[in-house]
Structure formats: C-alpha cells, structure tokens
Amino acid sequence: MDTYRIATIPGDGIGTEVVPAAQEVLERVGARFGIELAWTELEWSCEYYARTGRMMPEDGIETLGGFDQIFLGAVGYPGVPDHVSLWGLLIPIRRAFRQYVNLRPVTLLPGISSPLRDVPAIDFVVVRENNEGEYSEAGGRLYRGTADEVAIQESVFTRRGVERVMRYAYDLAGSRRGRLASATKSNGIIHTMPFWDDVFRELAAEHPGVETSEYHIDALSALFVLDPGRFDVVVASNLFGDILTDLGAAIIGSIGIAPSANLNPEGAFPSMFEPVHGSAPDIAGTGRANPLGQVWAGAMMLDHLGHADAAEAVMGAVSHVLAETGVRTADLGGTASTREVTAELLTALDREVAAR
Ligand code: NAI
Ligand code: MG
C-alpha cells in the first residue's frame, strides 16, 4: 500500500458537493491499485471567513506543508469580495508552495458535443504561469472616492519565474507532439511582454526538437474557437492563461469538466489539484453540479503521485460514462444529479478495472 496524506479544502458552494463525490471515486480506484489516501478535511472557506475574519488560520500554510498534496474544491461566495477569498487562500497557497505551473488540459472527451461547429480533435494543454505576472500586490489606490482617484497595478515578471515555467512547457511539448505556442501581447504591453518573448526565444535554442509559434493573446483567443486542433502545448502568463482556460473549458463542452493542477514540479512542496470552475452560487445546494472537473483533477493528482495507471482508469471511467451512457448533468445537456453521475462513474470504474 502506498499511503498519501491529502488535505481537502472543499471550500464554498458546489465545492462542498463535488469534492466528496470525487473522493468517493478516488477511494474506489485507490482500493484497486493499492493506494491509500488519508484525507484531512479543512473547513477553510468564505463561511470560515465570516466567522473568523480570515480565509484560513494564521498557521494555515504551515499546516498544509505537512501534507503530500492538496485537493481543493472552490472558494468564493456572495458577501465576501472575490479578491478577499482569492488572496486569502488560493494565491498564498500557490505562492508559498512554489506551485509555479498551472497545468490545464483542454481535451474534448468522447461523447461530448463542443459548442463549435465542425469540431476537430481537441487535445492540448495550457501551461499557465501561476506565481507572478499580472496578479501582483504591487500598486495602490490614491485619492479614493474623489474625482482625482488613481489606481495603479504593476505586473511582475522575473527571469527565474518566466524561465522555469517555460522550461516546463518546452519539456512537456517535447514529450507530446512537439509543438509549443506562446501567448504574448508585446505590441501593446511594451516591457513585460517583449521580455516574455525574449526568454521564449532563448529557450527555443535549448529545445531544437520543439517547433515554436507566438501569438498575440487576442488573435490566440480567436484561434481557440476557429482552429483549436492546431495546438499541442500553450504557455501563457498568469492572467492570459486564466482567461484562455475558461475559453478552453467552453470549447470542450462545459466549465464543469475542466481540471487544473497547481504544480510544484520539483516536489519540494505539496501541489494542489482543483477544477477550473468556481463555487457556482447559482446552482449550489441543488445537487446538480457536474463532478467531472473535480474527478479529472483527482486523476491528475494520482498521475502526479506516480500512479498513471490509476489515473488512466479514472479517465477511462469518465470517458465511458460520457460516451456510453446518457447519465450527465444539466451543463452537458442531461438531467442527472451529482450523485447519479458519481454512482455511474463508480460502476464504470469497476468495469474499467475488471477489463485490465
Ligand atoms: P463559476 O465557475 O463558479 O460559474 C460559472 C458558471 O458555470 C455558472 O453558471 C455555474 O453554474 C456554471 N458551473 C460552474 N461549475 C459547474 C459545475 N461543476 N457543474 C455545472 N455548472 C457549473 O464562476 P463564477 O460564477 O465567475 O464565480 C463564482 C464564485 O467562484 C466567485 O466567488 C468566484 O470568485 C469563485 N471562483 C473561485 C475559483 C476557485 O476557487 N479556484 C475559480 C473561479 C471562480
Ligand atoms: Mg479562472
């Protein structure tokens, strides 16, 4: 038995519904592959904030540092400003644990209809810089509430930060179909983005087997819709990657499916696995949330832990449910509940394991 200590943070809204669903699936696959997941649930959330004035305790990062990995649902709820929930929990975790790669697969699974007409095979990965860039605390607001009010927001791009995420993306492209696209905007953003481009080109010399291309973010967004089949790996800054991956989730059928891994590739710290979606207050409590994004994030966690076979079994079950059964949630055009999809997944998983 390989045992892992996993901290779960279900968070808010549908996070508290899809995390237990995914845990059930991971438990089942774990039992079949000799993986023991020792879960510790942390109640950190907007509700916790309402009670304590903090999204997590003062020693929250220290607490998390004692775990092997972190499995997160979503945080954010009406009544707490989104920048408070994000900067009080998610961003500190991503930064303290140097989770500088945010890996977001954009794969059209069998049985799902994309909103795009004439859909090619869609199978690429966005590597989003996750520790710096446009999401920075540098800046401020002056003369609040007056006619002279000024807001300044600085971006931070460091050579170390840009090189490490790009190296990861180059290596990933090298292990896939050998094509890497960079998201830039060096026509309009004249300091950070030309720097981003310089590093991208410097590293190309170290990776002669990888074919590179560069796109301005606006044109790149259009190509995600018009010709997504051309992409293999896309590397993007924190903000650009964030926006591109909601678009990526849309073209693969639903934000309810898309997964996300916040990786510390060196393994010096825990990594964190979560769906791309948020807490969806509009459907929270109805039992209709799609659990597949959380389940897929769980498969990425198994893969990161070195259990590619177990991860494949989970994804095999997901594909089976989507392609061979009509059991799906409303975001995918079905009528099933979170529970019904989870039950179907467990059945498919048993079948998947038996077939191996
Ligand atoms: P959202 O992803 O929560 O919801 C967008 C739309 O997609 C909604 O109509 C929702 O019902 C639907 N949706 C999302 N996940 C779904 C699922 N699993 N199954 C079925 N439908 C699903 O994004 P929104 O509305 O912008 O944000 C809501 C809250 O979540 C905010 O407080 C925001 O800050 C937070 N948020 C948190 C994130 C995180 O914890 N990583 C990421 C994105 C948003
Ligand atoms: Mg986002």
Side-chain angles (χ1 to χ4, degrees):
M1 242 350 181
D2 291 317
T3 302
Y4 303 100
R5 289 156 304 155
I6 313 290
T8 58
I9 308 175
D12 297 297
I14 65 168
T16 63
E17 302 168 32
V18 294
V19 166
Q23 280 178 285
E24 226 179 302
V25 173
L26 295 176
E27 289 275 306
R28 179 74 63 101
V29 76
R32 300 307 174 94
F33 285 87
I35 306 163
E36 190 191 335
L37 301 167
W39 310 99
T40 299
E41 187 171 319
L42 303 165
E43 47 159 7
W44 307 343
S45 59
C46 288
E47 200 189 305
Y48 182 87
Y49 177 87
R51 260 188 290 129
T52 64
R54 304 181 57 94
M55 287 299 294
M56 63 176 160
E58 229 158 312
D59 62 355
I61 294 292
E62 215 181 301
T63 301
L64 288 174
F67 290 91
D68 295 314
Q69 310 298 338
I70 304 163
F71 196 51
L72 178 111
V75 289
Y77 220 69
V80 178
D82 285 342
H83 67 269
V84 169
S85 46
L86 196 65
W87 281 91
L89 188 84
L90 262 182
I91 293 187
I93 295 172
R94 288 172 173 166
R95 292 187 182 188
F97 296 135
R98 306 292 189 276
Q99 295 166 351
Y100 61 84
V101 169
N102 188 195
L103 198 61
R104 296 187 157 182
V106 181
T107 304
L108 183 61
L109 296 177
I112 293 206
S113 49
S114 164
L116 302 180
R117 201 181 46 210
D118 309 326
V119 197
I122 303 175
D123 178 22
F124 63 92
V125 184
V126 176
V127 175
R128 168 192 176 193
E129 200 293 316
N130 211 27
N131 277 182
E132 53 176 44
E134 303 87 347
Y135 294 176
S136 105
E137 284 167 298
R141 279 172 75 175
L142 289 173
Y143 313 119
R144 277 182 190 246
T146 73
D148 296 321
E149 184 155 3
V150 182
I152 296 174
Q153 176 80 52
E154 301 283 6
S155 295
V156 177
F157 286 76
T158 65
R159 179 166 283 278
R160 182 199 301 276
V162 175
E163 279 185 1
R164 65 187 178 182
V165 74
M166 284 188 178
R167 282 216 161 84
Y168 184 93
Y170 269 103
D171 290 344
L172 183 62
S175 72
R176 289 173 49 99
R177 299 191 301 275
R179 296 207 309 273
L180 179 61
S182 166
T184 184
K185 189 62 190 169
S186 45
N187 54 352
I189 299 177
I190 61 166
H191 299 302
T192 54
M193 281 295 137
F195 169 62
W196 173 272
D197 294 350
D198 285 348
V199 176
F200 186 70
R201 289 167 201 163
E202 282 167 32
L203 292 182
E206 292 173 19
H207 301 83
V210 175
E211 185 192 317
T212 62
S213 48
E214 299 173 27
Y215 300 90
H216 290 307
I217 185 67
D218 37 5
L220 182 59
S221 309
L223 284 172
F224 266 37
V225 174
L226 297 173
D227 188 16
R230 77 164 69 190
F231 298 109
D232 180 17
V233 178
V234 178
V235 66
S237 64
N238 208 333
L239 172 66
F240 290 172
D242 192 2
I243 299 171
L244 282 175
T245 49
D246 264 44
L247 181 52
I251 63 173
I252 61 165
S254 169
I255 185 120
I257 316 174
S260 172
N262 302 273
L263 298 179
N264 173 248
E266 294 76 23
F269 300 103
S271 292
M272 177 165 66
F273 302 83
E274 55 170 334
V276 171
H277 68 73
S279 57
D282 55 337
I283 60 163
T286 64
R288 293 169 54 229
N290 191 339
L292 296 182
Q294 190 78 49
V295 169
W296 192 344
M300 292 181 84
M301 181 168 78
L302 292 173
D303 199 37
H304 183 69
L305 286 168
H307 296 281
D309 46 357
E312 275 167 32
V314 171
M315 291 314 292
V318 168
S319 297
H320 177 83
V321 171
L322 289 170
E324 309 294 337
T325 79
V327 182
R328 51 182 67 197
T329 43
D331 56 308
L332 292 176
T335 56
S337 64
T338 309
R339 275 246 42 87
E340 286 163 339
V341 173
T342 309
E344 200 65 35
L345 270 175
L346 293 171
T347 306
L349 194 53
D350 290 341
R351 197 187 138 275
E352 191 70 28
V353 173
R356 269 154 200 266

